[in-house]
Amino acid sequence: MKYVTVYDAIKNDIVAGTYPPNSKIPHTKDLLKLYACSFTTLRHAITLLEREGILRGIPSKGTFVRTYTEPIKFKASEKRKPLLAFLGSAPFTTPQYDQMHRSIYKYMRDLGGKTHPILCGGKTIHDLVKEINSLEINMMITLEFYRKDLRKEIESLNIPVVHIDMLDVACRKPSINPNNVQGGALAFKKLYDIGHRNILFINNVSPFINDEDPAGKMRWLGFSQECKSIQNVRVHKETLLSEGAISEQQEMRGIEELFEKYHDFTGFVFGTGIPFSEVKTFLKNNPRIQTTRMDFVVFSLGEGPEMVNRKPVWFCKWDAKKMGEIAVKTLLDSSKSYPKAQYLPMFIEKNC
């Protein structure tokens, strides 16, 4: 790609001292002539150099070379013991993260290796490379990376990588995902088998992407496919805006309107745990709504007892511990016998 050539040329000039530390690089018009490229190509190359921490843009002043001349590069660790970085976009506080990390930690410990959880947050690839170099990391697992740019840059490093995600993401390295479509079909079948003929599927807007939760979308796909051939059942899908996008008062009003609209529905499937938590709060504060005939299926790894009006809730789960174990096995598989995308089946159980 042309922008990679320009990126390399500018970086080489920085290393060679053409643009010294703290100096301002030439004006865009001069750079276009110097590197014989289009504005779009130049902008892309400059952006990559800024992400890597080599250049720094200062509004109204220009673009400057940072205080070091040699960019830090990834150094593949030659240590025999496996040293793994477990990379996440959000804090490792959910049941899924906790179960997965415990599984990975135990597996690595049994191998005589170590695991280092690393939160990526707003880090650039340059920040990340510095961190994994200092820890002498020689393999990585990413967990639910919403930053596609960083995922691609991680894949370009000379290091084994496996992605764990809630849905099948576009990536070049192996990935492990729960089978969301199969899980959606399972949720419908459970409610249908226990007698429900009016079933509502509820998804939410993901706060990370400001759009309908993509894992919930895949679960709805499996749900809707499973019920197509059945005549005596009514199914609908609704999407709830969560707190943060709207006020708590608006949120509760939206849920109230939902139960008014679907007053004769008795089966409810929640595409993620977020809308269920909000609906549960609403039902607790509105005892006039009769829940004795209702059953709930929630896609979540919640571990504790969960009840609505003393009635156990069904959970559609995936084995997070097994996902972590398979991720490490895939990283250590020198024969490359594992498929590029692996899907773990979901299962339903009550938390009571």
Side-chain angles (χ1 to χ4, degrees), residues 94-162:
T94 66
Q96 173 190 329
Y97 289 4
D98 181 55
Q99 291 176 29
M100 213 172 289
H101 182 240
R102 275 187 284 160
S103 170
I104 291 170
Y105 177 83
K106 181 181 182 302
Y107 200 90
M108 291 292 291
R109 186 189 61 194
D110 292 344
L111 293 171
K114 290 184 178 180
T115 306
H116 298 278
I118 297 175
L119 281 177
C120 294
K123 293 176 184 175
T124 65
I125 188 64
H126 180 79
D127 298 326
L128 194 56
V129 165
K130 281 199 295 185
E131 196 164 355
I132 63 179
N133 277 346
S134 66
L135 295 169
E136 297 186 281
I137 296 299
N138 52 27
M139 61 178 70
M140 287 193 286
I141 294 173
T142 73
L143 176 61
E144 284 199 272
F145 252 46
Y146 291 98
R147 291 179 57 190
K148 295 178 182 178
D149 58 333
L150 189 57
R151 184 168 60 228
K152 286 181 180 178
E153 289 173 318
I154 287 169
E155 288 190 334
S156 69
L157 301 176
N158 182 29
I159 186 172
V161 178
V162 169

